[in-house]
Amino acid sequence: MKTTNLLLILVAVMSLVSCGQLHVVTLYVDTANIEQATIAANANFGQPTGISNEDYTTHVRKRDRIIWDAVSISDPSDVVEITSINHISGDRIFERKTGIIQPESFSWNGITQLLVATKIKTRPGTQKAYLMEKYGLEFKVAGKEGTFLIDPVIKAYR
């Protein structure tokens, strides 16, 4: 009996390890003040001072999952919607059915929200320590004209 329980625990642990980690990347937007000319000052990922949005990096491994979310820091009722995630340059690290990842609707505790989710599809081979991709995260703010763009980085390690 003890051997069976130990084997079941071992199988459960191995399956959890092989599934990868979940990364949640949240975009914080000052919806009251954001304009095309002030994106860098009014939208960020909560990164430390001195790290620009363009240098903000998410570190992942193969089979990890990423969820992108966007929230207003001005007024919680303001809607910030990620409209797409596009490859800009470098390696293609996460899964795409086309060149663009688009949001899906998720419900949690009775609240429906648009989130963007994907899975890491690749990792570096023996020649590189990591792969790097620059991607464009496009988002809209309710009541504001146009689409805003931030282009962070994702790095995949072995």
Side-chain angles (χ1 to χ4, degrees):
M1 188 72 163
K2 286 184 180 184
T3 305
T4 304
N5 287 341
L6 288 174
L7 286 173
L8 288 174
I9 290 170
L10 179 62
V11 169
V13 169
M14 288 175 58
S15 66
L16 286 174
V17 170
S18 67
C19 292
Q21 293 183 348
L22 176 65
H23 303 270
V24 178
V25 178
T26 303
L27 177 64
Y28 301 96
V29 181
D30 181 352
T31 54
N33 297 310
I34 194 161
E35 300 294 335
Q36 287 296 333
T38 64
I39 295 172
N42 293 301
N44 64 66
F45 298 99
Q47 68 267 32
T49 305
I51 298 175
S52 68
N53 290 330
E54 292 78 18
D55 292 331
Y56 177 76
T57 304
T58 303
H59 301 274
V60 298
R61 295 186 185 278
K62 187 174 181 178
R63 289 190 218 73
D64 285 1
R65 294 191 180 275
I66 302 176
I67 295 176
W68 287 271
D69 187 17
V71 297
S72 171
I73 58 172
S74 307
D75 182 352
S77 65
D78 285 350
V79 176
V80 181
E81 177 187 344
I82 296 173
T83 56
S84 68
I85 296 178
N86 307 302
H87 174 81
I88 293 178
S89 65
D91 303 295
R92 291 184 180 263
I93 294 174
F94 42 85
E95 291 180 347
R96 296 170 175 83
K97 292 185 175 108
T98 62
I100 299 171
I101 298 176
Q102 296 187 336
E104 295 180 28
S105 178
F106 291 89
S107 292
W108 180 73
N109 282 349
I111 300 170
T112 300
Q113 186 168 2
L114 288 174
L115 299 174
V116 179
T118 192
K119 184 177 177 183
I120 303 304
K121 70 172 186 170
T122 190
R123 67 176 183 193
T126 57
Q127 301 299 316
K128 293 183 176 181
Y130 62 86
L131 299 176
M132 188 170 83
E133 176 176 0
K134 186 83 158 156
Y135 65 93
L137 187 146
E138 294 183 4
F139 63 99
K140 290 183 180 181
V141 175
K144 300 284 183 171
E145 290 285 325
T147 302
F148 300 93
L149 173 69
I150 291 180
D151 54 345
V153 175
I154 187 167
K155 281 187 179 181
Y157 296 88
R158 285 186 224 155

